[in-house]
Amino acid sequence: MTITAGFSQEIIKDEVKTEVKETKRQGNRIKADGVAAVVGDYIVLDSDVNRRIAQIKAAGGDIGDITNCEIFGSILEEKLYAHQAIQDSIVVNELQIRSQIDQQIQGILGQFNGSMTEMLNFYKKDSEDALREEIYEINKNQSLASQMRNKVLEEIEITPEEVRQFYNDLKEEGLPTFGTELQIANIVIIPEVTEASKQVAIDKLAGFKKDVEENGASFTTKVLFYTDDAGSKSTGGKYTLNRKRPRMVKEFRDVAFSLQEGEISEPFESIYGYHIILLEKIRGQEYDVRHILLRPEITPDAIEKARKQIEDIRTRIVDGSVTFAEAAREFSDEEETKFEGGQMTNPTTQDFNFELTKMDPEIYGQIQDLKDGEVSPIIQDGDRENPIKFKIMTVTNRIDDHEADFARDYLKIKRLALQNKHFDALGKWQEETIMSTYIKINGDYRSCDFNGNWLKNK
């Protein structure tokens, strides 16, 4: 069992110690907060279980029937993966990790009715900055643990024969039932960006570059005032790129890796709009950059033209002049779906089927009232690449809930079989790594009935 990490941990490098680390007040009594466990270079405090529970609730999770022993076991697992990740020289993306903290702080504050003082008292921190640093360490070790799991699983594959054997085993135990599934198609029309709008964005970026280079203006300040990249605005447009681990679109990487320290690029285009990049620092394979993104303005005329086009397409489908699939192939601006007649691919299963109870809530809201074959009203939508787009949707097929069938549900069965193989591989890795890692469990937790051999008594 893996449960989202909590907000208390410490790394110990030399001598393993188990004395009391801190105290907390309970009424008029003082309870010692000692070391509940040591896993490699990590310690787990007695208070970590309660903090883990608080974090799960802050994220909207439900503890349900999960016991303290199960939560404690999940903390041990995480420390084991993180410890081994460090031994294997796995590194993390610091900027990406820090970018999560604001949202986490707001979520936790909600548990304390917005009181920063109560939150700091609960986590025994003197300042918000101290809490942020602790959360950073938690995020970092979550990332280490996740990457270590991925490393264990990265070369595991499954053959068709293994899938068939897994299915046969399921038949003996009782085949699962798959819920009602829908196949959905859409046609998307994106307002055209004029050349004049593109040139305005390019000229603005060129002006920013000139102001920084010739007048000493602050690049970071211009990010805060002008960038259209909401994801990096709060960090001054900063990203860390690594030559060995591609991140960002190719155009962005190519420009960033061509710069010298302190150099600002010329304006360039990507699928998101137009950028300039400042290369701040090169650290071996890592490049610290800041960028400004401008999306060319979409004119009212272009928006109205796109709306009229989608209205005309919908009318022609409804009156039978053209089928939905034909219209998608002819007119849709969504490259991922147009050549499949508008059929949308489920990102989880990689087929065309969307299980009703597991469907993305936004997609469900757009098709929930549609009868099979009915064309939706025009929907105005947007995404990171296209702030405005128009679409129509239809349900092309409905598959009622049914017992798993090898031919019809092969991809789902394959996914289940691979998950089962992953589970076995992680169990084997954990068992072996526990035996080769220094682990000590203290106090009442020694009486827990762990899934893993944490007490090394088997």
Side-chain angles (χ1 to χ4, degrees):
M1 175 182 298
T2 300
I3 304 175
T4 307
F7 284 129
S8 181
Q9 65 183 1
E10 182 176 343
I11 300 177
I12 53 180
K13 292 298 183 186
D14 300 316
E15 182 181 356
V16 175
K17 299 181 179 181
T18 57
E19 73 267 17
V20 171
K21 294 292 179 184
E22 56 185 69
T23 62
K24 58 183 177 180
R25 183 172 296 277
Q26 292 186 340
N28 294 322
R29 300 176 61 195
I30 299 293
K31 179 181 177 182
D33 189 12
V35 175
V38 178
V39 180
D41 287 337
Y42 289 90
I43 65 172
V44 181
L45 297 177
D46 287 327
S47 60
D48 280 352
V49 169
N50 288 334
R51 293 183 179 183
R52 176 67 58 90
I53 291 171
Q55 188 196 10
I56 294 171
K57 290 180 177 178
D62 182 14
I63 298 299
D65 296 329
I66 299 174
T67 67
N68 282 12
C69 281
E70 288 174 324
I71 293 176
F72 184 72
S74 76
I75 295 173
L76 297 179
E77 269 188 45
E78 181 185 293
K79 298 298 185 282
L80 183 70
Y81 281 104
H83 170 76
Q84 191 59 45
I86 293 173
Q87 310 311 305
D88 289 2
S89 301
I90 291 175
V91 296
V92 297
N93 185 316
E94 179 177 343
L95 181 63
Q96 186 178 30
I97 290 170
R98 290 193 182 277
S99 69
Q100 304 168 359
I101 296 177
D102 285 340
Q103 184 177 356
Q104 289 171 296
I105 288 284
Q106 292 305 311
I108 302 167
L109 268 174
Q111 297 295 306
F112 298 93
N113 299 315
S115 172
M116 179 64 71
T117 300
E118 289 185 23
M119 182 174 72
L120 293 178
N121 286 340
F122 180 84
Y123 288 110
K124 296 181 174 54
K125 296 300 173 186
D126 297 329
S127 66
E128 182 180 347
D129 286 344
L131 178 59
R132 284 176 175 273
E133 282 307 305
E134 183 166 330
I135 295 174
Y136 167 75
E137 288 297 324
I138 299 300
N139 290 349
K140 181 179 77 172
N141 286 294
Q142 281 183 324
S143 178
L144 285 169
S146 176
Q147 290 185 73
M148 190 65 236
R149 289 188 186 94
N150 291 338
K151 182 177 179 180
V152 174
L153 301 176
E154 63 186 359
E155 295 183 358
I156 295 179
E157 298 178 345
I158 194 159
T159 66
E161 182 54 36
E162 287 176 313
V163 177
R164 180 175 292 280
Q165 184 58 52
F166 177 77
Y167 178 75
N168 289 336
D169 292 341
L170 284 179
K171 282 200 297 187
E172 295 180 6
E173 300 169 5
L175 290 170
T177 297
F178 293 127
T180 299
E181 296 172 326
L182 304 181
Q183 293 181 351
I184 307 165
N186 69 183
I187 296 172
V188 178
I189 299 297
I190 300 170
E192 184 179 0
V193 178
T194 65
E195 291 301 319
S197 291
K198 294 178 182 179
Q199 192 59 50
V200 168
I202 293 170
D203 291 344
K204 282 184 179 180
L205 290 170
F208 298 157
K209 170 181 165 71
K210 182 177 180 180
D211 197 21
V212 174
E213 291 178 336
E214 298 183 8
N215 302 322
S218 166
F219 191 96
T220 302
T221 299
K222 291 192 179 295
V223 172
L224 297 175
F225 276 101
Y226 300 109
T227 190
D228 288 328
D229 182 6
S232 70
K233 188 172 185 176
S234 63
T235 61
K238 189 173 182 181
Y239 287 103
T240 297
L241 309 181
N242 190 301
R243 282 188 174 274
K244 292 184 176 180
R245 292 189 299 279
R247 187 181 177 214
M248 309 294 283
V249 292
K250 183 178 184 299
E251 297 89 346
F252 193 101
R253 298 197 310 270
D254 288 348
V255 171
F257 293 148
S258 71
L259 297 174
Q260 302 296 316
E261 283 191 7
E263 185 180 1
I264 301 175
S265 74
E266 297 295 333
F268 66 95
E269 184 179 11
S270 79
I271 58 176
Y272 300 113
Y274 289 85
H275 312 249
I276 53 173
I277 295 176
L278 164 64
L279 175 58
E280 285 195 333
K281 185 76 173 176
I282 300 175
R283 297 177 288 110
Q285 296 293 320
E286 294 193 334
Y287 285 56
D288 293 334
V289 303
R290 295 185 188 272
H291 87 123
I292 301 173
L293 167 69
L294 293 183
R295 290 195 180 97
E297 181 184 0
I298 302 172
T299 65
D301 286 345
I303 294 172
E304 185 59 25
K305 181 180 178 182
R307 187 191 300 276
K308 287 183 177 178
Q309 184 181 2
I310 197 77
E311 286 175 351
D312 179 62
I313 293 169
R314 184 181 188 281
T315 298
R316 292 176 62 186
I317 295 171
V318 171
D319 69 18
S321 301
V322 65
T323 68
F324 197 99
E326 289 169 343
R329 293 188 184 97
E330 180 70 21
F331 301 111
S332 183
D333 291 327
E334 189 173 76
E335 296 293 328
E336 298 87 351
T337 61
K338 69 176 297 177
F339 299 111
E340 296 286 352
Q343 288 288 157
M344 298 171 61
T345 300
N346 186 328
T348 302
T349 61
Q350 296 302 311
D351 59 16
F352 294 141
N353 299 334
F354 291 80
E355 191 168 343
L356 205 56
T357 58
K358 299 178 181 178
M359 190 180 298
D360 181 289
E362 183 177 358
I363 295 176
Y364 177 76
Q366 293 168 344
I367 58 88
Q368 62 178 328
D369 296 326
L370 292 180
K371 300 180 177 66
D372 294 0
E374 182 182 4
V375 181
S376 75
I378 295 167
I379 301 166
Q380 181 173 329
D381 206 349
D383 56 35
R384 189 177 174 189
E385 296 177 30
N386 303 289
I388 298 177
K389 61 183 180 181
F390 299 99
K391 66 182 180 182
I392 52 176
M393 306 179 73
T394 189
V395 176
T396 60
N397 192 20
R398 186 182 302 267
I399 304 169
D400 293 330
D401 59 310
H402 61 281
E403 188 178 75
D405 175 82
F406 187 78
R408 177 197 284 183
D409 302 307
Y410 179 80
L411 289 177
K412 294 185 184 65
I413 296 166
K414 178 181 179 181
R415 191 171 70 254
L416 290 175
L418 185 58
Q419 288 173 353
N420 188 65
K421 195 169 182 180
H422 282 175
F423 181 81
D424 290 343
L426 290 173
K428 181 180 179 182
W429 179 90
Q430 181 173 306
E431 181 180 348
E432 293 173 350
T433 309
I434 284 174
M435 298 308 295
S436 62
T437 303
Y438 178 86
I439 295 170
K440 182 173 182 177
I441 312 295
N442 299 316
D444 294 342
Y445 288 112
R446 291 188 63 81
S447 63
C448 287
D449 184 17
F450 295 115
N451 286 329
N453 187 24
W454 296 103
L455 298 173
K456 300 189 180 183
N457 55 10
K458 299 178 184 177

